[in-house]
Amino acid sequence: MAVIKCNNFELWATADENGKFSFAKVPAGVREFTISSLGYATVTVKLNVDKDITNYAVYMDVADLSLKEVTVTAEKNKASNTTQYTIDKAAIEQSQLTNISDVLTLLPGGQSIHDPKLTKTDKNIGKFQIRAASSFGTAVEVDGVRLSTNSDYTEGQTGADTRNIGTSNVESVNVISGVASVEYGDLSSGIVVINTQKGASPLKVDFTYNPNTKQVSLSKGVRVGKGGVLNFNYDRARSVASLMSPYTKYTRNALTLTYSNTFARKSSSPLRFEAGIGGNIGGRNQKSDPDAYSDTYSKAKNNNIRGHFKFNWLVNGKFITNAELKGSVNYSYKRTTDKSYKSSATALAAVHGTEEGYFVATDYDTDPNAAVSLIPPGYWYQTCYNDDKPMNGSASLKINSVKEFSNKIRNHFKLGVEYSFSGNYGKGIYYKDPQTIPDGWREYRYKDVPFYHTLAPYAEESVSLPLGSTVLGLTAGIRGSYTHMNGSEYGNISAYSPRFNLTYRIVNDNNNSFLKYLNIKGGIGKSVKLPSSGVLYPRPYYTDELTFAPGALADGTSYYAYYIRPATMLYNPDLKWQYTLKKEIGIDMKIKNVKISLVYFDNKTFNRYSTTTGYDPFAYNFTDQSNLESCTIPLENRKYNVDRNTGIVTVIDKTGVQQSEILSYTTRETFKKNSYCINEAPSTRKGLEWVVDFGKIKSLQTSFRLDGIYYRYKYMDKKMSAGMPGNALYMADGSPYRYVGFYSGDRDVSNGQLKKQFNANATIITHIPQLRLIVSLRVESSLYSATRNLSTIGSGTRAYVLDSREDYLPSTTISDLKDHYAAVYPDYYVSYDDLTTKIPFLPKLKWAKNNDPALYAELCKLVVKSNTSYYLNTNRISPYFSANIDITKEIGRHFSISFYANNFLNNMNKVKQTWNHTKYTLYQSSQIPLYYYGLTLRIKI
Amino acid sequence: MMKKISLILLFVALMSVSCKKLNDYKTYEVTVKVVFPESGASAPSEGITVNLTSVSSGTEYTAETDAGGAAKFEVPVGVFRASASTSNLDNGIKKLYNGNVSNIIVSSKEQETSDYSIDFTESQVSQIVISELYIGGCPKDNASGSYYYDKYMKLYNNSDDVANLTNLCIGMAMPYNANSTNKYIIDGKLSYESEGWIPAGQGFFYIPSLTIEPWKSVVIAFNNANDNTITYSKSVDLSDASYYVTYDPSVYTNTVLHPAPSANIPVSHYFSAYAYGAGNAWPLSFTSPALFVFSTKNSTPAAFAADPNNLSYYGGSTTQVCKKVPVDWVYDGVEIFRQGYSTNKNRLTSAVDAGDILFKAKLGYSVYRNVDKDATEAIVSNKGKLVYSYAYGTGDITDGSTDPSGIDAEASIANGAKIVYMDTNNSSSDFHQRLQASLRDGK
């Protein structure tokens, strides 16, 4: 079932089972049409529509390797008014991906991922990262269903895990890394739009094999009823972490069903309907490994169900050209189970209380709900569950109105509104046996966190102005977003994202022998990334301070007491929403047979979310065995009562014979920590992306392509933050530390980083249509990689040079930080006894060295020193390369076989790093892909 | 009648002649002065017995030194040899002073000098030694793993004098495990060997005073000073009231590694802590620690802990911090190497421990000091009390070792014997791997 689009006019038509299609109203003029059909090569034609056209026939070729042109790389989307790349089926099949997020390696300068195993637990596995930016800012959409992680507790502040999407079902992937249309929101680096197969197709069975992963998939598109098509796809993948001990595996069983049909096809206002349902059952499982203790395991289920529907109505009216209504729901069931075997010779104190105060440990049998419980000594199994059930959904209505005026000025007005919500139905972390719940656990049910609702209206105006033979396109849009979360102290959040794009098509003439096209594109736009629910509705955290430790009874039981202090991230009334301002300018041209594309980008992220700590004075009363030595009540008759407010311990004689005794105590003065979310100074990511495609050398049937990226990323933390020594939190006399330092940036030697990276790839593709064979050889290189930890603050000095590692005062002779140890001092410090007087640190430290050795010793603990003499040096890594080869061969009409080998030269060379003037080997290093290979067999029936 | 009178007269004449002869030889004064080494004397100069021996006749004369360290003799002519020794016991270290001088010539002629001096050389022997270090843990019941919170050490008085120890401290060197990369080794040598200190990593424990009777030991528990055998039958019971424990909940708040000790153990038996590295527990290795015992001598643990100039950042890390302990503060140390690893390297310098003992963790083994066979058998009162046929060696196990003396030290001590342990500051010859912790003997 083919889909025909009239480009730039938002007009579409679908062909019936006989291939017949019609457009009721096409504005007169030379119009471009794109015809696409599943399994066939897309055709673009230009037609001069000056009268009604009937019997126009388009011939479509089967999309296979016998075509003259096959694209196995990411293609820059020329028609788009922003930087957009399309990766189509042939490219996905040629690279034989088992995980769809790996598709970004085909973008300019993209480097193959290090380890394709699906079992890895790295934070960024299966996540999209556009231009090496954070995955949390990259949005992912599958058939219009947004995969959001705002309410996902397992993922944390990272993007969506795409390991549960069947790769065989993907028809194409569009990556928008430029200034996206206002239609897309809640993102910062870009959006990845994944389109699955729709349309009638033969039964396809694929088998993929690589040393750790085996995958099988089935897909078919059947015609249903009159004009309807049902696409079915089942994808099963099984990945094992280690071949020697195949007990940790990741499984994917993804099933997708999509139904599409067009109603009133022949009328002037056809209605296209699409509905789909899909899901996955699988996850990570560490089945009973014979090397692990009997019946202990770890399982992480990753089940998912999603559904969507879409109505696309070609209104063809006076004001509205077409309208789209869509809705989607995505529900995941992620449940992690960890079963382990524990034992202890002493009773373990397990603090579970959520209220503030002093609490003494109580046997579970006496009070199951005690704030401090005691796990009795012995052996037991502990089963821990993490019940995470995130759900998100959206509904949107979009209206397009396209009109061309007599002077060939075309106007496209887009108006829409999107509603989305996200929340979680999970129970959170809980344990099977309430008596043995470990220390520190408090109930936190994800389902108690309110849902997150966002309403986003948007409007966009695009004008296309012909100027002589050139065309100037201008787009201006604005998107508003209003977010509400019940009970959030931040109330209702509103933000605006205006975006502008300019496209200047200077030459667009395929007949010109020298310059076939020349386009200049530029854009500037703002996109707001909403904070995760952890910021809007902070989770309480608890500090438990040990305040009483009596000697143990014969069975190893000791009735400890703790001071429990609950806290939540404090509300910051000045918190602003993080947004990215993207600026891009690019040029696309085709000179003779050579396609050149250059994009300069400048993304600046403002109001970066960060957390900082504040310290408040806090005193507690501490009692230990030395205070008990004078107690006359026999050990076995003692019962301890701890006053909730003062912590004073009273020893009671259980037999009632002796009088209760109140114990003495010592008061310890320390600080309690409070954290809150703040906005940090902006970070910038600027760079240049290029693609030079030399076209096919016909005699060799080979084309040659160069692509690459150079980017420069920098961030600096500037806020003044409080800090205390990381360890040695004691004064010389053993009492808690009494000073708090205030550091510019953070309590760290470096407060920023500068990273420059230059990646260049060369791809040689040999495509022989007669043999139906395509071989692509890709050499990936990192030609320049420099990272530098920065320590600067305005115009002053932040990091001081030390003569040697043992020193605390700055060097008086050396001033060059290179190859020297560095120290960072607080700007000022305060003392527990006087929190308002800010004492400048460095002058006081210098004075104390000669005048007050005791104070000098204490202040030295606030000095932050670098671990090495090269920490602030620039680390330049010498260039390195790796090469991949992909081969696909079609056999007959039904079979196709693909082979790939990543890093097939198994690069074991050494690279130099200037940081500490050492060399290390690339073998098994994370910088180049592991030496890996795989085979895929495809059968089409 | 006349005959009788002449016989009596002859007898008297004979007698008077012999008497006159006895009172006829001359004696001369000789002064022998003891001189302590330049580094100073920690023993008084007065009251030291000096022995003056005649080379020719072998006659011995003794005299005691006066306040100035001089001993005066009245001896006849001859050639003599003088020797003296004294010792001083202070805070567990016995300083021995020995010296002699020969060619003391006494003649009737006028002498150039009659003053001689004995130059003392100083040597020291530690009274206390680590006689056992049990840190490898034992298997849990039902083979579910291993348990390591039953670590303890036995500190033994290897001398005949009461050991009155002040400011006794326990430290461990970095890296925690002998097989880990040692960031102190530069060009194949420990960087601190030439500077005369060893690193005490993360924190140290101390007790103001501890007394150990002669030939007796004290048990110091590192983690759980309770009866561990209730849950882990292969472990040890550390809840005895005479035991000590490294326990300071105001510094190390981790109640899993440092649970409250048995209420039997008095607070006076707690070792307190000074912490300067990261962490809420003292991370003694269960596979291969380098443990040592020292005293802060003329300083105090508080002053030693407070001084920022004796800090050493291990590999530059700000979380792994050590204190520089001068080598002459150290009583004893044990270097344990991990079996099955070829990357073990010494952390204690040769002044403290020149060797190592191979150890395998998790099996209930301990590291036990060898008996000095000759010195022990030389003690007269030991006759009949020593128990031979030592059964707790691991000599027949791969990489195991046993006590070459064959004496079962614990059984002999139980019999009332006085055991002298080997102390050559070399774990290779001083220690062996024992089949079980000595506290389990007889249970």
Side-chain angles (χ1 to χ4, degrees):
Chain A
M1 186 189 56
V3 174
I4 307 96
K5 288 201 170 101
C6 178
N7 296 343
N8 301 322
F9 281 90
E10 294 290 322
L11 298 171
W12 55 267
T14 56
D16 64 12
E17 59 270 24
N18 298 321
K20 284 194 160 59
F21 68 91
S22 62
F23 280 90
K25 287 188 210 174
V26 180
V30 177
R31 304 299 171 211
E32 195 177 78
F33 291 85
T34 304
I35 304 106
S36 55
S37 184
L38 183 64
Y40 294 90
T42 303
V43 179
T44 307
V45 291
K46 270 203 172 106
L47 285 180
N48 187 3
V49 181
D50 50 2
K51 57 181 187 304
D52 286 353
I53 302 173
T54 54
N55 294 326
Y56 176 73
V58 172
Y59 293 92
M60 300 188 76
D61 294 310
V62 171
D64 65 14
L65 295 180
S66 63
L67 288 176
K68 271 178 50 182
E69 295 288 329
V70 172
T71 313
V72 292
T73 49
E75 278 307 291
K76 183 103 180 281
N77 195 326
K78 253 181 33 227
S80 165
N81 60 0
T82 182
T83 309
Q84 187 179 77
Y85 295 92
T86 303
I87 298 145
D88 69 11
K89 187 81 179 167
I92 297 170
E93 285 193 345
Q94 175 80 339
S95 14
Q96 296 150 74
L97 309 164
T98 42
N99 188 359
I100 197 66
S101 61
D102 301 344
V103 86
L104 288 189
T105 58
L106 295 172
L107 292 185
Q111 311 263 286
S112 299
I113 54 153
H114 167 66
D115 189 343
K117 287 202 278 289
L118 296 171
T119 50
K120 296 233 87 174
T121 48
D122 178 88
K123 210 172 55 142
N124 283 317
I125 182 82
K127 314 268 165 81
F128 282 101
Q129 287 178 281
I130 292 182
R131 288 179 184 151
S134 142
S135 63
F136 190 52
T138 304
V140 184
E141 234 182 50
V142 180
D143 285 338
V145 180
R146 176 71 91 92
L147 305 179
S148 158
T149 55
N150 285 342
S151 297
D152 202 312
Y153 287 89
T154 319
E155 304 295 346
Q157 289 241 20
T158 56
D161 185 348
T162 54
R163 285 181 293 169
N164 57 15
I165 298 173
T167 46
S168 58
N169 196 24
V170 177
E171 178 61 23
S172 67
V173 179
N174 288 343
V175 181
I176 305 174
S177 49
V179 179
S181 158
V182 289
E183 207 180 315
Y184 303 107
D186 195 21
L187 54 93
S188 50
S189 352
I191 180 159
V192 176
V193 179
I194 299 173
N195 305 307
T196 59
Q197 295 175 142
K198 286 171 215 54
S201 72
L203 175 68
K204 283 190 261 187
V205 184
D206 291 357
F207 296 96
T208 304
Y209 168 86
N210 68 45
N212 289 69
T213 307
K214 281 146 202 57
Q215 185 178 326
V216 65
S217 69
L218 279 101
S219 57
K220 183 157 175 60
V222 281
R223 289 183 208 281
V224 172
K226 205 169 183 325
V229 178
L230 182 70
N231 280 92
F232 152 87
N233 174 270
Y234 171 69
D235 187 310
R236 182 187 157 80
R238 201 161 172 282
S239 188
V240 170
S242 157
L243 293 172
M244 287 187 294
S245 178
Y247 298 103
T248 302
K249 32 187 204 298
Y250 185 88
T251 326
R252 168 172 78 214
N253 288 298
L255 177 70
T256 319
L257 283 165
T258 317
Y259 171 76
S260 47
N261 203 347
T262 309
F263 302 108
R265 190 189 304 263
K266 295 198 189 102
S267 77
S268 61
S269 304
L271 175 71
R272 186 171 161 75
F273 169 70
E274 184 190 301
I277 187 160
N280 174 64
I281 294 173
R284 195 170 180 274
N285 190 340
Q286 211 174 357
K287 203 178 77 177
S288 288
D289 182 342
D291 293 329
Y293 186 68
S294 126
D295 208 21
T296 59
Y297 52 81
S298 165
K299 286 195 250 202
K301 273 197 219 170
N302 192 344
N303 298 346
N304 164 262
I305 185 161
R306 51 178 178 267
H308 75 276
F309 72 89
K310 190 157 58 169
F311 285 102
N312 212 319
W313 185 23
L314 186 61
V315 178
N316 247 334
K318 198 161 177 230
F319 296 108
I320 302 175
T321 309
N322 78 22
E324 182 187 88
L325 173 72
K326 65 180 185 188
S328 68
V329 152
N330 183 19
Y331 173 69
S332 292
Y333 176 64
K334 296 184 192 192
R335 192 171 139 115
T336 315
T337 310
D338 278 297
K339 187 169 181 188
S340 50
Y341 194 57
K342 306 261 181 226
S343 64
S344 173
T346 53
L348 296 172
V351 187
H352 303 311
T354 53
E355 293 181 5
E356 181 155 8
Y358 294 87
F359 297 91
V360 71
T362 315
D363 293 313
Y364 181 79
D365 298 323
T366 315
D367 181 5
N369 296 320
V372 182
S373 191
L374 279 174
I375 302 175
Y379 298 84
W380 67 93
Y381 276 104
Q382 177 185 287
T383 310
C384 174
Y385 302 104
N386 185 353
D387 193 58
D388 185 7
K389 296 179 176 134
M391 174 168 198
N392 68 293
S394 69
S396 71
L397 175 65
K398 180 171 69 171
I399 294 169
N400 286 303
S401 173
V402 186
K403 265 197 168 30
E404 193 179 73
F405 300 100
S406 51
N407 45 11
K408 301 283 180 209
I409 295 174
R410 189 177 66 240
N411 180 55
H412 178 173
F413 180 65
K414 196 188 296 189
L415 183 70
V417 65
E418 182 179 0
Y419 161 73
S420 59
F421 70 90
S422 76
N424 202 308
Y425 288 108
K427 270 164 79 171
I429 295 179
Y430 65 99
Y431 291 84
K432 189 171 179 183
D433 180 4
Q435 190 176 19
T436 58
I437 300 178
D439 184 28
W441 175 85
R442 266 86 174 184
E443 186 174 49
Y444 186 70
R445 302 195 315 172
Y446 305 142
K447 59 164 109 170
D448 292 338
V449 178
F451 268 62
Y452 201 102
H453 302 270
T454 308
L455 188 69
Y458 57 87
E460 189 176 82
E461 172 69 43
S462 292
V463 175
S464 176
L465 294 165
L467 297 171
S469 62
T470 66
V471 180
L472 178 69
L474 296 161
T475 310
I478 187 154
R479 184 185 173 98
S481 73
Y482 307 93
T483 301
H484 170 76
M485 194 174 195
N486 243 351
S488 169
E489 275 180 298
Y490 291 94
N492 295 337
I493 304 163
S494 57
Y496 297 95
S497 304
R499 297 182 199 159
F500 303 95
N501 273 310
L502 182 149
T503 311
Y504 192 33
R505 295 181 204 276
I506 301 170
V507 176
N508 194 356
D509 180 5
N510 253 323
N511 298 326
N512 187 326
S513 60
F514 183 71
L515 184 62
K516 292 207 166 27
Y517 61 80
L518 174 65
N519 302 328
I520 297 177
K521 288 185 202 176
I524 181 164
K526 180 176 159 178
S527 62
V528 178
K529 176 83 195 93
L530 298 166
S532 67
S533 50
V535 173
L536 297 179
Y537 199 81
R539 179 176 179 162
Y541 59 93
Y542 303 88
T543 316
D544 304 323
E545 204 81 59
L546 180 65
T547 60
F548 177 49
L553 299 173
D555 64 356
T557 306
S558 173
Y559 291 95
Y560 299 103
Y562 285 83
Y563 183 81
I564 298 173
R565 202 174 53 79
T568 47
M569 190 142 65
L570 295 175
Y571 168 61
N572 179 358
D574 300 323
L575 188 68
K576 300 193 184 56
W577 312 117
Q578 178 177 304
Y579 69 91
T580 305
L581 184 67
K582 284 170 95 121
K583 295 181 206 160
E584 288 215 339
I585 185 147
I587 188 163
D588 292 328
M589 61 177 110
K590 186 165 178 178
I591 300 175
K592 291 213 153 168
N593 241 4
V594 182
K595 283 195 261 187
I596 301 171
S597 148
L598 287 167
V599 177
Y600 169 76
F601 61 90
D602 180 345
N603 299 344
K604 192 165 176 178
T605 303
F606 292 86
N607 298 334
R608 283 186 300 131
Y609 297 127
S610 178
T611 47
T612 193
T613 313
Y615 294 88
D616 291 321
F618 166 64
Y620 65 96
N621 296 326
F622 185 80
T623 315
D624 69 13
Q625 182 66 358
S626 57
N627 305 104
L628 259 176
E629 291 246 286
S630 52
C631 181
T632 55
I633 301 170
L635 181 65
E636 55 278 7
N637 295 344
R638 288 180 194 168
K639 180 168 145 56
Y640 302 103
N641 254 15
V642 175
D643 183 290
R644 180 164 162 181
N645 298 317
T646 61
I648 295 176
V649 181
T650 309
V651 190
I652 298 169
D653 185 347
K654 278 195 276 195
T655 61
V657 169
Q658 284 178 263
Q659 271 214 330
S660 304
E661 292 181 32
I662 298 177
L663 301 181
S664 56
Y665 57 89
T666 46
T667 305
R668 292 166 73 83
E669 294 176 333
T670 181
F671 291 91
K672 55 181 177 177
K673 287 204 261 203
N674 290 310
S675 71
Y676 47 101
C677 192
I678 52 157
N679 297 116
E680 253 299 354
S683 68
T684 55
R685 189 179 291 268
K686 298 187 212 198
L688 189 68
E689 246 173 28
W690 66 91
V691 179
V692 181
D693 198 326
F694 289 92
K696 203 164 181 173
I697 303 169
K698 289 210 167 54
S699 48
L700 294 173
Q701 308 263 46
T702 301
S703 57
F704 186 64
R705 173 187 156 116
L706 287 173
D707 63 66
I709 185 170
Y710 167 76
Y711 71 83
R712 178 186 182 274
Y713 171 68
K714 182 176 176 183
Y715 80 88
M716 296 293 298
D717 287 337
K718 297 193 174 143
K719 288 270 154 109
M720 186 75 78
S721 47
M724 285 184 75
N727 38 268
L729 275 171
Y730 300 102
M731 302 284 280
D733 62 1
S735 64
Y737 196 72
R738 303 178 79 76
Y739 303 109
V740 179
F742 288 82
Y743 304 79
S744 295
D746 210 353
R747 193 189 155 268
D748 203 303
V749 175
S750 78
N751 65 333
Q753 196 185 67
L754 175 63
K755 186 172 163 70
K756 295 186 206 172
Q757 183 79 27
F758 181 13
N759 292 342
N761 299 338
T763 316
I764 303 171
I765 303 165
T766 302
H767 169 220
I768 305 170
Q770 296 85 342
L771 290 178
R772 296 170 70 197
L773 169 73
I774 186 162
V775 180
S776 55
L777 171 69
R778 189 167 128 117
V779 178
E780 294 173 356
S781 72
S782 158
L783 294 174
Y784 181 75
S785 176
T787 317
R788 179 155 183 221
N789 291 318
L790 304 169
S791 185
T792 52
I793 194 79
S795 54
T797 315
R798 189 177 182 273
Y800 290 81
V801 182
L802 296 174
D803 284 318
S804 80
R805 190 199 273 190
E806 266 76 42
D807 290 319
Y808 287 93
L809 290 173
S811 168
T812 46
T813 48
I814 313 166
S815 58
D816 185 11
L817 282 168
K818 188 165 192 283
D819 289 329
H820 285 109
Y821 286 91
V824 166
Y825 305 98
D827 286 9
Y828 62 90
Y829 74 97
V830 299
S831 153
Y832 187 96
D833 310 301
D834 183 358
L835 294 158
T836 49
T837 308
K838 299 181 185 176
I839 307 168
F841 187 84
L842 195 53
K844 191 78 173 184
L845 185 73
K846 289 179 177 166
W847 172 88
K849 177 146 197 196
N850 300 317
N851 297 296
D852 190 347
L855 179 64
Y856 174 75
E858 300 300 350
L859 290 180
C860 281
K861 294 173 189 169
L862 285 173
V863 177
V864 184
K865 294 202 254 192
S866 63
N867 283 355
T868 56
S869 59
Y870 50 83
Y871 188 69
L872 295 173
N873 286 2
T874 305
N875 189 16
R876 266 185 297 275
I877 298 176
S878 54
Y880 56 89
F881 306 85
S882 92
N884 298 349
I885 188 161
D886 299 323
I887 303 169
T888 304
K889 166 100 181 84
E890 287 173 355
I891 303 165
R893 278 180 48 202
H894 301 287
F895 298 97
S896 136
I897 190 159
S898 294
F899 170 77
Y900 78 90
N902 280 358
N903 186 15
F904 66 89
L905 295 170
N906 203 3
N907 192 348
M908 293 197 254
N909 288 335
K910 290 210 176 120
V911 287
K912 248 201 315 194
Q913 51 178 5
T914 59
W915 216 29
N916 53 4
H917 316 288
T918 55
K919 288 189 185 169
Y920 61 92
T921 176
L922 286 170
Y923 179 65
Q924 305 254 319
S925 118
S926 60
Q927 279 158 288
I928 55 169
L930 284 177
Y931 168 57
Y932 217 76
Y933 53 88
L935 195 70
T936 304
L937 172 68
R938 295 183 198 94
I939 304 169
K940 230 195 302 198
I941 304 163
Chain B
M1 188 74 177
M2 266 310 264
K3 218 181 176 177
K4 279 187 188 162
I5 295 167
S6 2
L7 273 164
I8 292 166
L9 278 166
L10 188 64
F11 177 72
V12 169
L14 275 165
M15 291 310 287
S16 48
V17 167
S18 16
C19 284
K20 238 189 180 167
K21 253 190 176 166
L22 275 162
N23 287 323
D24 218 352
Y25 67 89
K26 214 164 171 282
T27 59
Y28 301 88
E29 194 183 272
V30 174
T31 310
V32 181
K33 187 173 171 172
V34 296
V35 178
F36 282 94
E38 269 167 35
S39 54
S42 46
S45 312
E46 191 174 349
I48 300 174
T49 307
V50 181
N51 292 312
L52 197 63
T53 312
S54 164
V55 173
S56 46
S57 65
T59 318
E60 273 191 28
Y61 303 86
T62 58
E64 285 201 356
T65 54
D66 60 18
K72 291 189 167 50
F73 296 89
E74 291 275 342
V75 290
V77 295
V79 180
F80 296 87
R81 187 177 70 240
S83 68
S85 65
T86 187
S87 66
N88 183 58
L89 183 61
D90 176 30
N91 200 3
I93 302 274
K94 194 166 196 167
K95 283 211 167 88
L96 305 164
Y97 297 98
N98 293 297
N100 57 58
V101 61
S102 39
N103 263 3
I104 299 175
I105 303 167
V106 178
S107 79
S108 50
K109 290 201 201 101
E110 271 300 310
Q111 299 305 313
E112 276 177 18
T113 174
S114 59
D115 290 330
Y116 293 87
S117 52
I118 293 175
D119 285 323
F120 274 151
T121 53
E122 189 185 291
S123 62
Q124 56 187 43
V125 170
S126 169
Q127 254 188 306
I128 58 163
V129 290
I130 297 170
S131 60
E132 182 177 21
L133 192 53
Y134 169 74
I135 43 82
C138 64
K140 288 183 185 173
D141 296 0
N142 62 35
S144 56
S146 315
Y147 173 65
Y148 329 106
Y149 303 140
D150 54 352
K151 305 189 188 76
Y152 74 86
M153 157 171 98
K154 269 192 176 176
L155 210 56
Y156 183 82
N157 184 346
N158 209 21
S159 77
D160 215 9
D161 304 298
V162 175
N164 289 311
L165 309 166
T166 52
N167 290 334
L168 179 68
C169 306
I170 306 172
M172 59 176 173
M174 293 286 265
Y176 303 126
N177 300 325
N179 60 299
S180 304
T181 312
N182 190 333
K183 297 179 190 173
Y184 278 121
I185 293 184
I186 298 166
D187 292 332
K189 283 177 64 158
L190 286 167
S191 61
Y192 45 82
E193 177 137 29
S194 55
E195 293 171 29
W197 55 267
I198 54 175
Q202 302 301 78
F204 65 90
F205 286 100
Y206 71 95
I207 195 164
S209 74
L210 181 65
T211 303
I212 311 179
E213 295 298 315
W215 316 115
K216 295 271 186 289
S217 65
V218 294
V219 173
I220 304 168
F222 290 113
N223 298 114
N224 188 17
N226 278 293
D227 187 355
N228 293 290
T229 60
I230 299 175
T231 309
Y232 306 107
S233 57
K234 300 192 178 72
S235 185
V236 284
D237 180 358
L238 295 171
S239 61
D240 192 282
S242 66
Y243 294 174
Y244 288 77
V245 59
T246 54
Y247 181 67
D248 193 344
S250 64
V251 174
Y252 288 128
T253 55
N254 186 323
T255 54
V256 176
L257 264 87
H258 298 289
S262 167
N264 291 340
I265 299 174
V267 174
S268 55
H269 283 201
Y270 292 1
F271 275 69
S272 305
Y274 279 114
Y276 35 85
N280 61 0
W282 197 61
L284 183 64
S285 163
F286 68 89
T287 59
S288 49
L291 189 92
F292 57 94
V293 180
F294 64 99
S295 165
T296 54
K297 291 236 172 154
N298 34 11
S299 180
T300 62
F304 178 59
D307 184 1
N309 296 314
N310 59 16
L311 284 172
S312 165
Y313 294 95
Y314 179 62
S317 164
T318 47
T319 50
Q320 295 187 311
V321 186
C322 303
K323 281 267 177 194
K324 300 180 186 177
V325 176
V327 167
D328 54 292
W329 283 11
V330 179
Y331 290 123
D332 193 19
V334 187
E335 178 84 59
I336 299 182
F337 274 12
R338 195 168 179 186
Q339 265 187 41
Y341 286 80
S342 58
T343 50
N344 290 308
K345 293 207 172 51
N346 278 74
R347 291 154 290 183
L348 299 178
T349 56
S350 44
V352 178
D353 189 344
D356 59 84
I357 174 73
L358 267 180
F359 178 72
K360 192 167 177 131
K362 303 189 195 181
L363 296 172
Y365 296 160
S366 92
V367 165
Y368 197 91
R369 199 175 274 271
N370 297 332
V371 176
D372 184 341
K373 189 166 197 255
D374 297 334
T376 306
E377 286 175 342
I379 296 176
V380 174
S381 58
N382 280 344
K383 213 172 162 72
K385 292 183 187 157
L386 294 175
V387 177
Y388 293 83
S389 60
Y390 181 55
Y392 291 115
T394 54
D396 44 355
I397 298 172
T398 318
D399 286 336
S401 46
T402 189
D403 188 340
S405 72
I407 297 174
D408 187 334
E410 293 292 324
S412 307
I413 291 170
N415 243 6
K418 296 174 183 173
I419 294 288
V420 179
Y421 286 105
M422 294 278 290
D423 185 15
T424 62
N425 283 348
N426 188 321
S427 293
S428 306
S429 40
D430 289 352
F431 280 94
H432 68 276
Q433 182 180 258
R434 198 177 198 269
L435 202 58
Q436 67 177 34
S438 66
L439 291 179
R440 282 182 64 81
D441 289 357
K443 295 221 164 69

